[in-house]
Amino acid sequence: MTTTSAAPGAATPPAGAPLLEVRDVRKHFPGRSAGLFGRRGNPVKAVDGVSFALHQGETLGLVGESGCGKSTTGRVIAKLIEPTSGSIRFQGKEIADLSTGQMRPLRREVQMIFQDPYSSLNPRHTIGTIVGSPFRIQGAHPEGGIKKAVQGLMERVGLNPEHYNRYPHEFSGGQRQRIGIARALALRPQLIVCDEPVSALDVSVQAQVVNLLEDLQNEFGLAYVFIAHDLSVVRHISDRVAVMYLGKIMEITDRDTLYEAPMHPYTHALLSAVPIPDPTVEARRERILLTGDLPSPSNPPSGCVFHTRCPKYRDQLSDGERERCRTEEPVLEDKRPGQSVYCHFAEVRSDIIDGEAPAPRSTGIREVIRKTAAGAPGTGIE
Amino acid sequence: MASTTPAPAVATARDAELFLSVEDLKVHFPTEDGLVKSVDGLSFELRRGEILGIVGESGSGKSVTAQAILGLHKGSRARISGHIWLDGRDLVPLSDEEMRGVRGSEIAMIFQDPLSSLHPFYTIGDQIAEAYRVHNKVSAREARARTIEMLEKVGIPNAPGRVDDYPHQFSGGMRQRAMIAMALICQPKLLIADEPTTALDVTVQAQILELIKDLRDELNSAVILITHDLGVVAETCDHVVVMYGGQCVEKGSVDDVFELPEMPYTWGLLGSMPRMDRVRQERLTPIPGQPPSLINVPTGCVFNTRCRFSDHVEGRRCFTEHPQLLPTAPGHEVRCHIEPEERRRLFELEIKPKL
């Protein structure tokens, strides 16, 4: 750990040690056996070698299609499931192999907000019980008693404290998500893993919850791992973004670079697929359609895992280059300073979102690429 | 009102080219708590080969409208009034039996959740073939051949090999394709897609929307696309109806409504979504409050409880008088008491810079 370089995608690492450092984490689920006494099938490689670092007060967005392993990654970080291998260091302490009992004190520091505000709240418990349960489980005695603390939390997240004795079904979807947020906040954690927290909400309510999450981050210095498939929301809330595909990170970099100068063909396809609420922009954009379905994570393609669906592989590469994609797996490495990409033939495109490239900037970027491509890759950061 | 648009011209236009015309549709559900006015006086028109988007939040009446057009409320306690003219025939007074002949052959629907709208015990092929055989006197063999042809058309790879798969063996995108194949097998003249891509990833969403557009071009069908995503509307639709509280609050061509939206609710919808194509805003601007109860619809404008602009109207008309849906430009209608010039000024000065 002492001699390794900085975490991938960290352009200018903020001062101080990272709050969370994830290295080469894997989660393989045992494959289903064929028949009663059949041999075990191949393991499902839900997460297959994910590394990143997260600093205090920072938000890392995790995006990708369903089945790419983003939710499993979130659950492994929160230690709701055990990683198969790899290292998770939280505040410098290795937590990957801690038992449930050993983890318990750390649960105050790492909390989770779930996607579905309907199934993540026990319908037979009142809001007071739900939001107060972290105090009881951890044996915490907040000043003024649990009830006062819970009502303070409810007020903070925009719920009426008088609704302390109501049940989840009496609240709307947005209000329930606020209840989930209040519960996650109760013990003043350092890190909250948010798994699709606004996906089930209407846009107007979604904006309320996103604003609340940002306010709470500023107030308490929270770090978020923000898992979502909505790339517009991720751009709004994240400082850095990791794009995942088949259990691996395809590209990780800071927010502005990812959206303005993405390099991985998969990032290009994802961004181009997001419809933009402006018919004139829509008319001039290119839509990069991915063909076929996600390959099975128990039997991923050889070489680059994305090559079976890669538009660049299909349309632009020579046979020799394709051979390389099929046989040699790329590594996630810095192609430009602070922009790590898992691709042999990564190239900046800045026309994905708007349909036309901002002219002076794009030439500059292309020059940078040629230079970095000419020099030894991976030397971009110190 | 507007003497320049004589009524007879409208009538002939309807006869000639209007394919679907919904007039003053009301769908009310009597419940123990009171009368739920899910759809309250909705009108719109649709021509063949056009895609109409209906947008709004949950509970705005989008899906109930679709169900009413399909006649799915027949036999329930719902009270339906108004007219749904499909190719010159009013669907509202039809019996459930008569409606069954229309459903599937003339109107087809794609639902949001393909997993719960496919039967888990029957193969994909059997379910699609059944839809075909109900409306066409063909042998099982012919129906199967037609099913495979449809599956190929919607882009299922290796269709002859996948036709005997069960729904759980299909991915989400493939299930939605299978649903589309089922909806289109009888070549319906009207296709209603209720949030067809909400449960799908953006990459698959792009494929499905592309497919719907291709099929529209090929069959010259009319399509109603119900969604909450304004991006999907901008990408796919020709016209848009914005619904709020069971009413249409703004409608027009997609170009007009996105270029110069005039209803504060449309502004709110546009403003609350983060946008990738604009400079990142420090904060999103949500629409404050919650959608109205459909039992106690506010008097005056339905949006008055959440509108920031009611002080731009003299007196308290927003709270006392229900605004009419009035034309503001050819083909663009808005339900708002604020004067049109004032609305345009507000949009240019206050709303547009913040989008």
Side-chain angles (χ1 to χ4, degrees):
Chain A
M1 192 52 66
T2 47
T3 53
T4 45
S5 61
T12 44
L19 179 70
L20 175 77
E21 202 171 8
V22 175
R23 276 200 179 269
D24 203 25
V25 161
R26 285 163 209 274
K27 176 65 198 178
H28 295 181
F29 293 101
R32 228 180 324 169
S33 51
L36 193 55
F37 302 106
R39 211 158 46 87
R40 273 287 169 89
N42 291 332
V44 176
K45 295 172 180 170
V47 179
D48 204 24
V50 163
S51 306
F52 60 83
L54 183 67
H55 289 80
Q56 195 186 358
E58 199 186 22
T59 303
L60 174 75
L62 275 185
V63 295
E65 293 171 279
S66 38
C68 72
K70 53 189 192 304
S71 289
T72 309
T73 305
R75 276 158 208 247
V76 167
I77 296 166
K79 287 277 283 177
L80 297 183
I81 47 181
E82 297 295 316
T84 309
S85 68
S87 139
I88 305 168
R89 294 175 80 83
F90 184 76
Q91 292 176 328
K93 187 172 184 250
E94 180 62 52
I95 60 166
D97 44 13
L98 292 188
S99 68
T100 317
Q102 288 169 317
M103 253 321 275
R104 190 151 295 139
L106 272 167
R107 294 257 182 247
R108 292 177 177 222
E109 307 292 339
V110 185
Q111 287 287 325
M112 187 133 183
I113 299 170
F114 296 93
Q115 170 173 9
D116 186 351
Y118 294 84
S119 62
S120 56
L121 302 177
N122 188 333
R124 302 178 71 158
H125 286 179
T126 63
I127 301 315
T129 315
I130 289 170
V131 179
S133 60
F135 295 114
R136 289 184 197 95
I137 292 166
Q138 289 283 344
H141 300 286
E143 216 174 302
I146 290 178
K147 181 167 180 179
K148 187 162 169 249
V150 168
Q151 290 189 326
L153 282 165
M154 289 174 69
E155 201 161 359
R156 184 62 201 84
V157 299
L159 294 165
N160 186 344
E162 289 168 18
H163 296 165
Y164 184 84
N165 280 323
R166 293 200 178 178
Y167 288 89
H169 74 263
E170 296 175 80
F171 293 88
S172 70
Q175 288 173 320
R176 286 182 212 212
Q177 204 51 289
R178 290 174 194 269
I179 297 168
I181 293 170
R183 174 173 61 182
L185 272 182
L187 298 166
R188 296 278 181 268
Q190 299 275 328
L191 169 67
I192 299 184
V193 177
C194 311
D195 189 0
E196 305 261 12
V198 294
S199 307
L201 308 176
D202 274 317
V203 277
S204 65
V205 182
Q206 172 180 305
Q208 297 171 0
V209 173
V210 167
N211 281 348
L212 172 66
L213 285 171
E214 287 190 316
D215 291 346
L216 296 171
Q217 178 166 47
N218 296 338
E219 193 175 330
F220 301 115
L222 294 169
Y224 290 136
V225 173
F226 193 91
I227 300 163
H229 65 271
D230 184 331
L231 287 131
S232 320
V233 173
V234 167
R235 170 179 179 243
H236 181 83
I237 202 164
S238 306
D239 300 305
R240 282 191 304 134
V241 182
V243 179
M244 288 187 70
Y245 183 80
L246 272 192
K248 294 176 193 290
I249 292 181
M250 297 289 112
E251 180 162 5
I252 178 167
T253 183
D254 65 277
R255 174 226 311 152
D256 291 340
T257 311
L258 189 94
Y259 286 84
E260 286 164 23
M263 290 186 77
H264 197 285
Y266 181 61
T267 317
H268 298 161
L270 267 188
L271 289 176
S272 83
V274 179
I276 283 174
D278 185 336
T280 38
V281 176
E282 273 301 312
R284 65 167 183 253
R285 284 174 83 206
E286 182 199 357
R287 182 140 290 135
I288 306 168
L289 286 182
L290 290 180
T291 48
D293 279 309
L294 205 65
S296 157
S298 59
N299 189 14
S302 64
C304 170
V305 288
F306 185 54
H307 86 258
T308 52
R309 296 173 77 203
C310 180
K312 191 161 200 170
Y313 175 89
R314 194 178 59 213
D315 302 328
Q316 291 169 27
L317 297 185
S318 70
D319 285 345
E321 289 170 326
R322 286 190 189 154
E323 175 68 25
R324 189 174 172 208
C325 291
R326 281 195 304 271
T327 51
E328 185 193 330
E329 178 162 15
V331 282
L332 184 69
E333 60 187 5
D334 275 21
K335 301 283 180 184
R336 296 167 63 204
Q339 186 168 12
S340 301
V341 188
Y342 166 101
C343 182
H344 294 307
F345 305 103
E347 191 185 6
V348 168
R349 282 192 63 177
S350 34
D351 59 334
I352 297 285
I353 289 178
D354 204 70
E356 46 195 34
R361 257 181 102 176
S362 81
T363 47
I365 286 164
R366 275 176 202 281
E367 270 166 319
V368 171
I369 296 308
R370 278 191 210 104
K371 279 179 196 153
T372 9
T379 52
I381 57 168
E382 299 307 312
Chain B
M1 185 182 19
S3 57
T4 45
T5 49
V10 174
T12 38
R14 171 176 304 144
D15 300 339
E17 45 175 321
L18 281 189
F19 175 62
L20 174 75
S21 170
V22 172
E23 286 173 18
D24 197 27
L25 179 69
K26 291 184 179 161
V27 185
H28 294 176
F29 297 95
T31 66
E32 281 177 19
D33 298 326
L35 192 64
V36 178
K37 296 177 177 171
S38 291
V39 179
D40 205 23
L42 180 68
S43 304
F44 61 85
E45 299 84 33
L46 186 58
R47 287 163 188 81
R48 296 202 73 159
E50 273 184 356
I51 303 183
L52 172 80
I54 302 185
V55 286
E57 291 174 88
S58 337
S60 60
K62 317 181 292 272
S63 295
V64 174
T65 305
Q67 288 158 4
I69 296 172
L70 270 176
L72 294 180
H73 298 304
K74 292 185 191 298
S76 77
R77 304 205 306 163
R79 293 183 200 151
I80 301 183
S81 68
H83 301 282
I84 302 170
W85 297 98
L86 181 78
D87 224 0
R89 177 174 170 204
D90 191 359
L91 300 181
V92 171
L94 292 191
S95 72
D96 200 16
E97 201 58 39
E98 289 169 310
M99 202 56 214
R100 197 168 294 159
V102 176
R103 272 199 293 265
S105 62
E106 288 181 57
I107 312 177
M109 176 132 175
I110 305 168
F111 293 92
Q112 172 174 358
D113 182 0
L115 191 54
S116 62
S117 38
L118 286 167
H119 198 298
F121 280 9
Y122 294 95
T123 65
I124 297 278
D126 283 346
Q127 296 184 54
I128 299 176
E130 184 194 0
Y132 191 53
R133 295 191 71 190
V134 165
H135 296 284
N136 297 276
K137 284 198 168 169
V138 292
S139 70
R141 185 185 298 254
E142 280 172 78
R144 186 181 163 87
R146 171 97 180 129
T147 301
I148 292 172
E149 186 193 326
M150 278 316 290
L151 285 175
E152 276 167 354
K153 189 175 269 177
V154 296
I156 301 273
N158 182 23
R162 300 303 298 263
V163 66
D164 294 319
D165 278 359
Y166 289 89
H168 74 267
Q169 291 168 293
F170 273 36
S171 69
M174 282 163 66
R175 278 182 214 132
Q176 198 56 287
R177 284 164 192 273
M179 284 296 299
I180 293 176
M182 190 189 296
L184 294 178
I185 196 161
C186 295
Q187 305 204 322
K189 293 179 265 179
L190 173 65
L191 177 67
I192 303 176
D194 188 358
E195 305 262 11
T197 57
T198 306
L200 305 176
D201 286 312
V202 278
T203 50
V204 186
Q205 165 170 295
Q207 296 169 2
I208 297 288
L209 294 178
E210 214 52 41
L211 176 65
I212 290 178
K213 280 194 276 188
D214 288 349
L215 294 166
R216 180 267 313 254
D217 293 341
E218 197 176 314
L219 301 174
N220 196 30
S221 307
V223 180
I224 297 179
L225 184 68
I226 295 171
T227 178
H228 65 273
D229 187 339
L230 288 165
V232 169
V233 173
E235 183 194 338
T236 321
C237 301
D238 305 302
H239 294 271
V240 59
V241 168
V242 182
M243 285 191 75
Y244 183 78
Q247 301 172 11
C248 170
V249 293
E250 180 158 10
K251 72 176 170 185
S253 76
V254 163
D255 288 336
D256 288 347
V257 172
F258 281 86
E259 178 65 31
L260 188 62
E262 293 195 24
M263 168 74 197
Y265 177 63
T266 318
W267 299 344
L269 275 185
L270 283 166
S272 54
M273 39 190 326
R275 291 180 60 162
M276 293 199 321
D277 59 328
R278 301 283 166 88
V279 177
R280 184 178 165 273
Q281 303 281 330
E282 267 313 304
R283 287 179 73 75
L284 299 174
T285 26
I287 306 173
Q290 302 285 330
S293 147
L294 295 172
I295 296 175
N296 295 309
V297 181
T299 43
C301 173
V302 263
F303 188 55
N304 62 20
T305 53
R306 302 171 80 189
C307 186
R308 291 191 288 132
F309 299 96
S310 45
D311 52 347
H312 290 264
V313 177
E314 273 180 53
R316 289 179 50 82
R317 277 173 71 210
C318 291
F319 301 92
T320 51
E321 185 187 327
H322 184 221
Q324 296 300 308
L325 190 65
L326 296 175
T328 172
H332 187 178
E333 294 173 38
V334 179
R335 192 188 291 279
C336 182
H337 280 313
I338 306 174
E339 291 299 322
E341 296 81 47
E342 176 70 0
R343 292 197 297 245
R344 287 173 206 141
R345 194 186 66 81
L346 281 172
F347 178 72
E348 293 294 336
L349 286 181
E350 292 198 22
I351 307 298
K352 205 171 179 184
K354 290 193 200 150
L355 286 183

